[in-house]
Amino acid sequence: MELLSLLTPGPTGWGDELLIGLSMTLGLALATFPVSIMLSFLIHWARSSRRRPLRYLAQMHVSIFKSLPEILTLLIIYYQSQVVISWVADYAGLDSTLSISPFLAGLIALSLVISAYGSEVVRGALQAIGKGQVEAAQALGLSRFHCFWKVVLPQFWRHALPGLGNLWVILLKDTSLVSVIALSDLTHVAALAINTTREPFFFYLVIAAIYISLVIFSSWIQKRLERRAARGFVAGGRAHA
Amino acid sequence: MLDLWFDYKDLWLSGLKVTASLTLLAILLGFVLALPIGVARARNRGLSGVLAYGYVIFFRGMPLLVLLFLVYYGAGEFSRDLRSLGLWWFFRDAYYCGLLALVLNTAAYQAEIIRGSLNGIPSSIREANAALNLTRWTAFRRVLFPIAIARALPGLGNEFILLLKATSLLAIITIFDLMGQARFIFSETFDLRAYYVAALHYLVLVLVLEWLLRRIERRNAWAA
Amino acid sequence: PAAAETLRIGTEGAYAPFNFVTEDGSLKGFDVDIGNALCMQMQVECEWSTHEWGGIIPALNAKKFDVMVASMAITEKRQEKVRFSSPYYFNAMRFAALKELELDTATPASLEGMVIGTQSGSVAVTVLQEYFPENEIKLYPKLGEALLDMESGRLDLVLESKFSIGDWMADGTDCCAFVGEDFLMDGTIGAGIAMRLEDEKLQTRIDDALAAIIANGTYDDIRAKYFGFDIRSQPRMVSDLFEG
Amino acid sequence: MADTRAISIQALNKYYGSFHALKNVTLTVEKGERIVICGPSGSGKSTLIRCINGLEDHQSGSLTVDGVTLSDEAAVLRQVRARAGMVFQHFNLYPHLSVLDNCTLSPTCTLRLDKATARRQAMELLSRVGMVDHAGKFPSQLSGGQQQRAAIARSLCMMPDIMLFDEPTSALDPESIGEVLDVMTDLARDGMTMVCVTHEMGFARKAADRIVFMDAGQILEINTPEAFFATPETDRARTFINQVIGH
Amino acid sequence: MADTRAISIQALNKYYGSFHALKNVTLTVEKGERIVICGPSGSGKSTLIRCINGLEDHQSGSLTVDGVTLSDEAAVLRQVRARAGMVFQHFNLYPHLSVLDNCTLSPTCTLRLDKATARRQAMELLSRVGMVDHAGKFPSQLSGGQQQRAAIARSLCMMPDIMLFDEPTSALDPESIGEVLDVMTDLARDGMTMVCVTHEMGFARKAADRIVFMDAGQILEINTPEAFFATPETDRARTFINQVIGH
Ligand SMILES: Nc1ncnc2c1ncn2[C@@H]1O[C@H](COP(=O)(O)OP(=O)(O)OP(=O)(O)O)[C@@H](O)[C@H]1O
Ligand SMILES: Nc1ncnc2c1ncn2[C@@H]1O[C@H](COP(=O)(O)OP(=O)(O)OP(=O)(O)O)[C@@H](O)[C@H]1O
Ligand SMILES: [Mg+2]
Ligand SMILES: [Mg+2]
C-alpha cells in the first residue's frame, strides 16, 4: 500500500512521470516502426537488385546491424551523428546549434537495427507468396505495377504479419535502451525514481508489468489483424495449392 | 583505431573473455532450462503447460534491461533475506546476476523455438511412430527429439547471436565485458573510437559464432 | 525589448543534492539554483536539459547544450576537451563504508581486499586506480546505484563527493558512515562550469557573473539552502593524504 | 480357434466431430486375401484403413484384426499394429535416419531384436524391394518411388501378417508408380494379406481378389475385379470407373 | 501475310546455368492445331512451354508466336502473352480474390475493359467451364478440379488465340482430372489452338492432332496419336508408353 502511493500522479508520486515515460516509449516505437518497414522494403529491393554495389551495400547493412549490439549502435549513432552534424553545419556555415535529440538518435538507430531484420521478413513474405503468383500475373499480361499492387501486396500482409508483429515487440522492448542516452522513457524514469525512493524492486517490477501488458496487448492486436488478413485464404474444408 | 586497441590491449582481451564466457554459459544453461519448458509448451496440457506458458509470457514480455535491473538491484533490496536463505553469495555477484537474467531470458526464447519445431513435425511422422508401434519414450528420444532439434537449429542459432549481443547490457550492472570495457575506455578518453573498436569485436564474434553454427548445421546431411 | 538570449544548460539530474529530478518531474539542486542565478545575473533565459554522465562531455562538444553546470571537477584531462570557469565550489571526495566493517581509517592498507564502487567517469575512478590498484573497483552509471549496492552489501565502500554521499545518508539509511578525511584529487581546482573550448567569451561572462553573485550574497543564500557550512575552502590533496 | 478371418469389421461408425465419415461399414477380409478399396475423393477410404490399425478411433461397431478386437487401450493397439503394417501415401519415412536405420529402428526398440539380426533382416527385405544399394542413403536423397519401396520394406521388417496401403502410388510420377506396383504385386503373389486403397485399376485387376467400392462413407459394392469392371452394380461405381479409366 | 502458323520454334536452345535444358528444339504449330507434349520427368516439357510465352528466356534459336518474335523487351512479351494464355499445374489462382475477381483482374487492368463488361464476359466463360455457381467463392474453398477450371476460365478471359497447358491435371484426384479434361476436350472441339503438356494419354488420343515426345531436352518424335501409340519410332518412347498406360 505504501509502495502503491509512490505511483499516484501529481507532485507527490511518480505516476505522472511514469505516464510521460510510457508515452515517450510508445511514441518512439510508433514513430520508428513505419520508418523501419519502409527501410526494410528499400533494403530488400537493394539486396535483390541487379547492381552489384547496391547489393553489397544492402548486404553489409544487414550483416552489420544484425551483429552489433543495439546499445552500441545507439551510442555510436547518438555521439557520432552529432559530430557529423556539427561538421556539416560548421562547413556549411549553418546555425551551429543544430542538434540531434536522443529521440531522433533512438529513432535512427532502432530503424537501422529493425530494418536489418525487417528486410528478411519482407523477403520471406514475398517468397511465401510464391513464384507461381507472379508467373500467373505475367502470363495474364499484368504490368509490373499491377502485379505488385493488386497481386503481391494484398498477399504480402498476410505472410508478413507474424514477422512484423515480432519486430514490433522487439522494437517496443528495445526502446528501453534509449534510457542510456537519457531519453526520458519508462526505464529512465524508473531509474530516476529509484534514485530518490530507493525502491528498485518495486519500480522495475512496475516497469516489467507495463512492458508485459504492452506486449500482450500487441499480440492481441496482431492476432486480430492476422485474422483479417487471412480472409479468403482460410480453407473452407480443403486447402489446395 | 589500432592504437586505441593496443593502448588498452589487456582491457579489451579481458572484456572479450568475459563476453565469450557469459555467452557460452548462457547458451548452455538456457538450453537446459528451455528443453523441459519447450516440451511442456508443445504438449500444452495440465499445470506444466500453464506454468510454461506463464514463464514464456513473463520473460519474453519484458526487456532484458529491465529484467537485469530487476534481478540485480531487486536482489540487492532483499539482501538481508537472501543472506538468511544462504543465497547471497550468488546474488551478491554481478556476474551471476547477469548470467541469471540472461539464462531466464534466453530460456524463454529457446523454449518457444523448441516448441515450434516440435509442433512443426508433420503429423505423418507421428503416424509412422504409431504404425511402427514405437513407445512414447522411444518415439520422443529416437524420432521427435532429433528431428525437432535439427529443425530448431537455425532458430536457435539466431537466438545465440541475439544472446551474444544481449550480453552487452551487462555492462550496466558493473560487469566488465567488452561493452563495459568500451564504456570505461570512453569515459577515460572521451574517444568515440572506443565504441567502434567494441563494434569490431562484436562483428568478429558474430562471424565466428555464425561459422560455428553453419558447421553444426552442415552435419545434418539428411535435411538437404 | 528584443527576445532574451537563451543559454542552454546541461546537467546530469541524478546527483543529489547538486542536481536531481524530483517526483513532480522538475529539476532541482544546488547546481540548478546556481545556474539560474547566473542566468538572472547575465540577463538571459535558462533552458535546462539532462544528460547521461558518461556522455556529458561529448554532448557538450556536440552542441547539445552550451554550458554544463553539473558539479564537474576540473582536471587536466578534462581541460583538454572542454573549457572551465573558475571553480564555484570544492567538491571533495570522501569514502563511505559499511558500518559493520568498523573501519576507522581509509588507507590502502586498511582497505585491503575490499570492494570499492564509484560512478563511472568521475574523478574518483582516477584516485582509485592510482592509490588503490589492488582493490576490486566497480563502476556504476549513476552514483545512486553504487550507494544502493553498498547498502545491500555488494560494496564495502563508495568513494564519491562527500556532499552527495552525505545527502544520501541523511535521507534515511544508517547502513554506512564516512571514514577517513575528505580530499581533492591532485591538480583539481574544484568544481567548475564547463563550456566548449572555443567559447572564450562565454567563459569571461560566466566568470564575471559568478563573481557577481558571490559578491552580492546570492551565492551564500543558495549555499545555505543545501549546506550548513562553507564549501568554497580548499580541502587537502590526495597525494598529501596517502603519500605524505 | 482356426479363424480364417484376418480382419472383421462389423457395423463400424466413425465421426469427425459431427461429420459422419464412416456409416455402418461391414467388411470381412480372409487370411491371404487381397482387397482393393476404391471410390471418389472424400468417400472415407483413408478413414477406413486408418481405423483398421487404430490410427483413428471409431464411435460404434467392432473391428477385429487377427483375432484381436480393437479398443483404445494401448496394449490392444500395440497388438493390432504389430499384426498390421501400414504404408502411407507420403511414405512417412524418418528423414533423419538412413533407409537401413528406418528399417531397424522399430525392430530393435519394439521387438527387441539385437542390432545384427535386425540389420540382416532389414537388408533381406530391402533386397526384396530392390533397395539394397540405397540402404545407407537418407530419404531426401531418394526418388519418390525409392522412398515408397523403402517404406514398404520398413513395414515388412515388423513381420506383419497384414499389410495396409493408403494410396501408396498417388504421390508418384508414372515411372515410379510402376516400380512400387511391381513390389506390391510381388507381395500379393507371395500370399500376404493386403488391403490397398488405390486408384490403380490395372493393379486392382491384376492383383485383387475383391474390390470394395466406397462412396460418402458407405460401402456401395464388393465384387471381384472382373465383375466390378464389367458390370458394376451401382451407377455411382459405373461413373467412377468411367472417369478413372475412361481417359 | 496469311500465316497459318500459330507458333514457330526454330533451333531453340535453353540453359539453366550450365545445364542444357532444351537442345535445338524445332517445332511448328498450325493455327487451330492441338499438340500434346509428353515425355519422362525432367525432359524439358515445362521448360519448352514456359519459353513459348516468355516465362523463361532462351539463349539461342527463335520463337515466333502469332507472328510476333519473342525477345526480352517488355512490349514484345506483353504482345506474346496477350496471344497465348497459360494454365499451370498448380492453378496459381490469386488466393486473396474470389473466382470472379480472379477472372476480371487482368481484363480490367490490362485490356482496360470496364468492370461490367469484364464481369459479363467472365461469367460467360465461367459458365462454359461449369463454374458459375462458384464465382463468388475464394480459391481455398474449391476442390482442385474446380480451381483448375477457374484458372482456365481466367486465362480465357484474356481472349487468347492460343492456350498453353502445363500438366493441368497432375495435381488432381481422378474425378477432378475427368472434370478438367472434359473442359479441355470441349475447348479443343471449338477449334482453340492448344499446346498441352500432359500424361493423360486418353486425352491425347482423343483430342490431339499431333503428339510430341521429348526426352533429355530434345524432341525425339512427332507423330499422330494413332501412329505414336501403335508404332512408336524410338525405344525410349516405347518404354515410356508402356509405363504410362501399362498398368
Ligand atoms: N481429421 C479430420 N477431421 C475432420 N474431417 C476429416 C478428417 N479427416 C478426414 N475428414 C473428412 O472425412 C471424409 C473422408 O475422408 P478420407 O480422407 O477418408 O477420404 P478418402 O476417401 O481417403 O479421400 P481421398 O481419396 O481424397 O484420400 C472427407 O470428407 C474428409 O473431409
Ligand atoms: N529454374 C531451374 N534451374 C535449374 N534447372 C532447372 C530449372 N527448372 C528446370 N530445371 C531443370 O531442367 C530440366 C527440365 O525441367 P522441366 O521442368 O522442363 O522438366 P519437365 O519435363 O517439365 O518435367 P516434369 O514432368 O517433372 O514436370 C530438369 O532437369 C530440371 O531439373
Ligand atoms: Mg485418402
Ligand atoms: Mg513440368
Side-chain angles (χ1 to χ4, degrees):
Chain A
M1 271 298 100
E2 244 173 90
L3 283 176
L4 284 184
S5 70
L6 288 174
L7 292 182
T8 53
T12 57
W14 289 89
D16 45 342
E17 280 73 27
L18 285 174
L19 267 182
I20 294 172
L22 174 61
S23 66
M24 187 58 90
T25 291
L26 280 177
L28 181 61
L30 285 172
T32 306
F33 200 50
V35 177
S36 306
I37 292 183
M38 278 186 280
L39 210 55
S40 302
F41 267 100
L42 218 66
I43 290 162
H44 170 73
W45 166 79
R47 262 220 299 194
S48 46
S49 144
R50 224 171 268 212
R51 278 190 208 124
R52 195 172 287 188
L54 214 56
R55 242 174 23 227
Y56 285 160
L57 225 62
Q59 186 56 50
M60 237 167 64
H61 173 105
V62 173
S63 324
I64 288 180
F65 290 106
K66 280 179 74 171
S67 307
L68 288 193
E70 287 84 338
I71 189 167
L72 199 49
T73 307
L74 190 63
L75 289 172
I76 290 177
I77 295 286
Y78 184 58
Y79 293 129
Q80 187 68 69
S81 66
Q82 194 55 55
V83 173
V84 171
I85 285 179
S86 303
W87 283 344
V88 172
D90 285 352
Y91 189 75
L94 290 172
D95 178 6
S96 61
T97 63
L98 265 178
S99 95
I100 177 168
S101 65
F103 187 90
L104 191 57
L107 192 153
I108 294 173
L110 291 176
S111 299
L112 290 174
V113 174
I114 297 293
S115 65
Y117 293 97
S119 69
E120 315 221 311
V121 172
V122 169
R123 183 171 64 171
L126 292 180
Q127 259 171 14
I129 292 170
K131 246 176 60 189
Q133 293 290 308
V134 177
E135 281 180 358
Q138 285 177 345
L140 287 171
L142 283 180
S143 65
R144 286 180 60 162
F145 170 80
H146 278 130
C147 175
F148 181 76
W149 198 248
K150 300 260 183 173
V151 175
V152 174
L153 206 57
Q155 301 186 53
F156 172 82
W157 297 115
R158 179 179 115 86
H159 296 292
L161 261 176
L164 292 181
N166 250 344
L167 283 185
W168 164 255
V169 169
I170 291 175
L171 172 61
L172 201 58
K173 292 191 290 171
D174 272 358
T175 54
S176 67
L177 299 179
V178 295
S179 63
V180 306
I181 53 170
L183 182 66
S184 304
D185 77 317
L186 264 181
T187 314
H188 190 73
V189 171
L192 290 180
I194 290 161
N195 216 10
T196 47
T197 62
R198 298 179 199 172
E199 294 285 355
F201 190 76
F202 173 72
F203 273 101
Y204 285 124
L205 210 57
V206 169
I207 299 302
I210 294 176
Y211 270 108
I212 291 169
S213 321
L214 285 178
V215 168
I216 291 177
F217 179 69
S218 302
S219 23
W220 180 74
I221 297 268
Q222 182 189 337
K223 284 232 178 68
R224 294 197 50 151
L225 287 176
E226 276 175 21
R227 215 174 307 143
R228 258 184 72 168
R231 274 187 314 192
F233 292 84
V234 189
R238 326 170 187 215
H240 284 289
Chain B
M1 233 177 277
L2 225 51
D3 54 318
L4 195 66
W5 193 85
F6 279 106
D7 286 353
Y8 295 93
K9 182 163 155 253
D10 294 342
L11 297 189
W12 289 122
L13 287 179
S14 87
L16 207 55
K17 230 169 67 190
V18 173
T19 293
S21 75
L22 269 169
T23 307
L24 283 181
L25 275 177
I27 286 176
L28 292 177
L29 297 175
F31 184 73
V32 171
L33 182 56
L35 252 189
I37 297 173
V39 172
R41 282 285 285 139
R43 279 186 70 232
N44 199 19
R45 254 179 270 137
L47 183 64
S48 68
V50 174
L51 287 180
Y53 185 56
Y55 179 92
V56 168
I57 288 269
F58 189 75
F59 287 106
R60 289 209 323 169
M62 87 172 96
L64 179 58
L65 187 68
V66 174
L67 177 60
L68 206 55
F69 284 142
L70 194 61
V71 169
Y72 187 70
Y73 292 112
E77 194 179 329
F78 298 111
S79 61
R80 203 157 313 169
D81 310 305
L82 289 168
R83 242 183 277 252
S84 59
L85 287 172
L87 291 174
W88 183 239
W89 64 270
F90 183 89
F91 286 98
R92 188 196 150 111
D93 196 325
Y95 187 91
Y96 292 146
C97 286
L99 186 59
L100 176 64
L102 283 178
V103 168
L104 290 174
N105 176 271
T106 188
Y109 283 93
Q110 291 188 35
E112 281 303 274
I113 294 166
I114 292 170
R115 171 186 82 115
S117 63
L118 271 175
N119 283 349
I121 293 179
S123 60
S124 60
I125 296 290
R126 292 169 204 273
E127 282 174 4
N129 292 338
L132 288 174
N133 251 341
L134 298 184
T135 61
R136 278 178 58 156
W137 174 237
T138 308
F140 181 78
R141 196 172 53 95
R142 299 289 301 272
V143 179
L144 300 179
F145 181 70
I147 295 180
I149 292 305
R151 292 171 61 108
L153 261 183
L156 288 177
N158 273 340
E159 168 58 19
F160 296 162
I161 290 171
L162 291 176
L163 189 64
L164 165 64
K165 292 164 42 173
T167 56
S168 64
L169 293 179
L170 270 51
I172 293 172
I173 56 165
T174 76
I175 294 174
F176 283 105
D177 67 337
L178 265 179
M179 188 69 196
Q181 301 291 9
R183 285 172 82 99
F184 174 71
I185 294 166
F186 179 67
S187 75
E188 289 274 289
T189 58
F190 300 111
D191 190 341
L192 251 183
R193 291 180 309 164
Y195 288 135
Y196 285 102
V197 174
L200 281 180
H201 281 101
Y202 280 107
L203 282 177
V204 170
L205 280 179
V206 169
L207 282 179
V208 170
L209 190 54
E210 273 176 346
W211 176 78
L212 277 175
L213 290 168
R214 232 176 300 132
R215 282 196 56 146
I216 296 172
E217 261 177 62
R218 213 175 305 144
R219 289 180 48 190
N220 291 318
W222 55 270
Chain C
E5 181 193 351
T6 52
L7 193 62
R8 298 181 307 150
I9 308 185
T11 191
E12 185 194 1
Y15 197 62
F18 297 101
N19 55 70
F20 55 96
V21 179
T22 62
E23 53 263 53
D24 64 6
S26 58
L27 198 55
K28 292 251 165 64
F30 176 75
D31 287 337
V32 181
D33 289 352
I34 291 289
N36 285 333
L38 289 175
C39 289
M40 189 108 78
Q41 185 65 35
M42 289 157 62
Q43 293 189 321
V44 299
E45 294 267 332
C46 271
E47 187 186 300
W48 288 88
S49 54
T50 56
H51 301 266
E52 206 56 23
W53 182 249
I56 201 162
I57 286 188
L60 171 63
N61 280 325
K63 298 183 179 164
K64 288 186 193 288
F65 55 91
D66 303 313
V67 172
M68 183 207 310
V69 188
S71 296
M72 182 174 273
I74 304 169
T75 65
E76 271 178 33
K77 224 173 180 176
R78 284 174 177 158
Q79 277 173 317
E80 289 169 13
K81 300 279 175 185
V82 295
R83 170 183 295 278
F84 283 101
S85 70
S86 49
Y88 64 108
Y89 74 96
F90 284 97
N91 194 353
M93 292 171 249
R94 199 169 174 195
F95 280 106
L98 285 172
K99 276 186 184 160
E100 67 200 42
L101 296 174
E102 293 171 355
L103 291 168
D104 31 52
T105 55
T107 62
S110 71
L111 300 189
E112 201 189 319
M114 300 201 168
V115 186
I116 311 173
T118 188
Q119 187 174 16
S120 130
S122 81
V123 285
V125 180
T126 321
V127 171
L128 290 173
Q129 280 179 325
E130 204 154 307
Y131 295 97
F132 297 85
E134 303 297 323
N135 289 78
E136 186 187 341
I137 294 166
K138 299 178 79 176
L139 301 181
Y140 294 79
K142 296 190 182 62
L143 176 59
E145 286 160 357
L147 291 166
L148 276 176
D149 255 9
M150 176 162 67
E151 188 176 14
S152 66
R154 285 196 183 109
L155 294 177
D156 299 313
L157 299 100
V158 168
L159 177 64
E160 246 300 331
S161 153
K162 67 172 180 184
F163 302 112
S164 303
I165 297 178
D167 180 71
W168 181 78
M169 288 196 302
D171 221 38
T173 175
D174 64 346
C175 66
C176 322
F178 281 120
V179 290
E181 285 180 53
D182 51 359
F183 53 84
L184 280 183
M185 193 167 98
D186 290 49
T188 329
I189 314 160
I193 294 166
M195 52 235 109
R196 285 181 290 277
L197 285 172
E198 67 266 24
D199 289 341
E200 209 178 326
K201 280 206 200 98
L202 186 60
Q203 188 203 340
T204 328
R205 284 175 67 195
I206 299 261
D207 275 339
D208 290 349
L210 190 59
I213 62 170
I214 291 172
N216 68 17
T218 316
Y219 180 96
D220 257 344
D221 292 344
I222 294 172
R223 195 263 307 150
K225 253 172 80 184
Y226 296 92
F227 313 104
F229 46 85
D230 174 31
I231 59 172
R232 291 184 54 237
S233 61
Q234 184 163 349
R236 290 175 71 183
M237 288 292 158
V238 61
S239 54
D240 236 19
L241 201 63
F242 295 128
E243 286 168 11
Chain D
M1 272 300 293
D3 194 345
T4 58
R5 286 172 306 177
I7 303 171
S8 152
I9 305 171
Q10 299 294 333
L12 190 73
N13 280 286
K14 158 86 191 165
Y15 294 81
Y16 289 112
S18 65
F19 178 74
H20 201 168
L22 291 180
K23 299 173 186 156
N24 259 321
V25 169
T26 299
L27 174 69
T28 315
V29 180
E30 298 294 321
K31 280 191 176 146
E33 208 181 6
R34 269 82 49 171
I35 301 283
V36 161
I37 303 179
C38 63
S41 180
S43 56
K45 310 179 293 294
S46 299
T47 308
L48 176 59
I49 208 162
R50 290 160 59 83
C51 279
I52 294 178
N53 77 339
L55 283 177
E56 304 280 355
D57 56 354
H58 53 273
Q59 276 71 44
S60 77
S62 83
L63 225 162
T64 309
V65 176
D66 251 0
V68 181
T69 300
L70 254 133
S71 68
D72 49 10
E73 272 172 61
V76 170
L77 282 174
R78 320 193 93 230
Q79 274 183 293
V80 168
R81 287 172 184 160
R83 287 163 167 77
M86 175 103 180
V87 175
F88 300 89
Q89 178 177 4
H90 293 285
F91 335 132
N92 299 11
L93 288 171
Y94 298 130
H96 64 300
L97 298 178
S98 70
V99 168
L100 185 58
D101 291 342
N102 260 284
C103 291
T104 56
L105 177 64
S106 192
T108 50
C109 290
T110 312
L111 305 180
R112 307 240 159 260
L113 292 191
D114 65 284
K115 273 243 166 80
T117 318
R119 292 172 77 96
R120 203 168 337 106
Q121 176 204 316
M123 289 308 277
E124 240 163 60
L125 288 163
L126 282 171
S127 91
R128 184 158 168 198
V129 300
M131 288 285 297
V132 203
D133 295 344
H134 304 288
K137 291 193 184 163
F138 286 108
S140 61
Q141 298 167 320
L142 301 175
S143 76
Q146 293 169 331
Q147 288 191 54
Q148 192 60 295
R149 286 186 281 151
I152 294 175
R154 180 176 70 171
S155 267
L156 292 174
C157 282
M158 295 295 289
M159 299 295 165
D161 300 324
I162 304 168
M163 286 288 282
L164 309 173
F165 296 83
D166 187 4
E167 305 205 25
T169 59
S170 67
L172 302 176
D173 59 289
E175 269 181 301
S176 303
I177 292 176
E179 296 170 6
V180 172
L181 289 181
D182 286 349
V183 168
M184 288 171 61
T185 313
D186 192 50
L187 269 181
R189 209 172 290 134
D190 282 10
M192 171 69 81
T193 312
M194 288 164 73
V195 180
C196 308
V197 175
T198 181
H199 290 121
E200 296 298 332
M201 289 306 141
F203 172 78
R205 219 190 280 262
K206 197 161 26 166
D209 296 316
R210 285 189 294 162
I211 293 186
V212 173
F213 177 72
M214 293 186 69
D215 188 28
Q218 286 176 307
I219 293 185
L220 289 195
E221 214 176 315
I222 306 184
N223 227 326
T224 59
E226 297 76 32
F228 180 72
F229 289 113
T231 54
E233 284 164 19
T234 53
D235 282 352
R236 196 70 193 80
R238 192 167 310 120
T239 337
F240 177 80
I241 293 169
N242 284 340
Q243 239 148 359
V244 175
I245 55 176
H247 39 262
Chain E
M1 272 294 294
D3 195 345
T4 59
R5 286 173 305 177
I7 302 171
S8 153
I9 306 171
Q10 299 293 333
L12 191 73
N13 281 287
K14 158 86 190 163
Y15 293 82
Y16 289 113
S18 66
F19 178 75
H20 201 168
L22 290 180
K23 299 173 187 156
N24 259 319
V25 169
T26 299
L27 175 69
T28 316
V29 181
E30 300 293 321
K31 279 190 177 145
E33 207 181 7
R34 269 82 48 174
I35 301 283
V36 161
I37 304 178
C38 63
S41 180
S43 56
K45 308 180 295 293
S46 299
T47 307
L48 177 58
I49 208 162
R50 289 162 58 84
C51 279
I52 294 178
N53 76 340
L55 284 177
E56 304 281 354
D57 56 354
H58 54 273
Q59 275 71 42
S60 77
S62 84
L63 225 160
T64 309
V65 176
D66 250 0
V68 182
T69 300
L70 254 132
S71 68
D72 50 9
E73 273 172 62
V76 171
L77 282 174
R78 320 188 93 229
Q79 272 184 293
V80 168
R81 287 174 185 159
R83 286 162 167 75
M86 175 103 179
V87 175
F88 300 90
Q89 178 177 5
H90 293 287
F91 335 135
N92 296 5
L93 288 172
Y94 303 131
H96 61 298
L97 299 178
S98 70
V99 167
L100 185 58
D101 291 341
N102 261 282
C103 290
T104 57
L105 178 65
S106 194
T108 48
C109 290
T110 312
L111 306 180
R112 308 239 158 260
L113 292 190
D114 64 286
K115 275 247 164 78
T117 318
R119 291 171 78 95
R120 202 164 342 106
Q121 176 205 315
M123 288 309 276
E124 238 163 62
L125 288 163
L126 282 172
S127 92
R128 182 158 169 202
V129 300
M131 288 287 297
V132 205
D133 296 344
H134 304 290
K137 290 194 184 164
F138 285 103
S140 60
Q141 297 167 319
L142 301 175
S143 77
Q146 292 167 332
Q147 289 192 56
Q148 193 58 297
R149 285 185 284 149
I152 293 175
R154 180 175 70 171
S155 265
L156 292 175
C157 283
M158 295 296 290
M159 299 293 165
D161 299 324
I162 305 167
M163 286 287 282
L164 309 172
F165 295 83
D166 188 6
E167 305 205 25
T169 58
S170 67
L172 301 176
D173 58 287
E175 265 184 306
S176 304
I177 292 177
E179 296 169 8
V180 172
L181 289 181
D182 286 350
V183 167
M184 289 171 61
T185 313
D186 192 50
L187 269 181
R189 210 173 288 134
D190 282 10
M192 171 69 80
T193 312
M194 289 164 72
V195 180
C196 309
V197 175
T198 180
H199 289 120
E200 295 299 332
M201 290 305 140
F203 172 79
R205 218 190 280 264
K206 196 161 30 169
D209 296 318
R210 285 189 293 162
I211 293 185
V212 173
F213 177 72
M214 294 187 68
D215 189 27
Q218 287 175 306
I219 293 185
L220 289 196
E221 215 176 314
I222 306 185
N223 228 327
T224 60
E226 297 76 31
F228 181 73
F229 288 113
T231 53
E233 285 165 18
T234 53
D235 282 351
R236 196 71 192 81
R238 193 168 308 121
T239 336
F240 177 79
I241 293 168
N242 285 338
Q243 239 148 1
V244 174
I245 55 175
H247 37 263

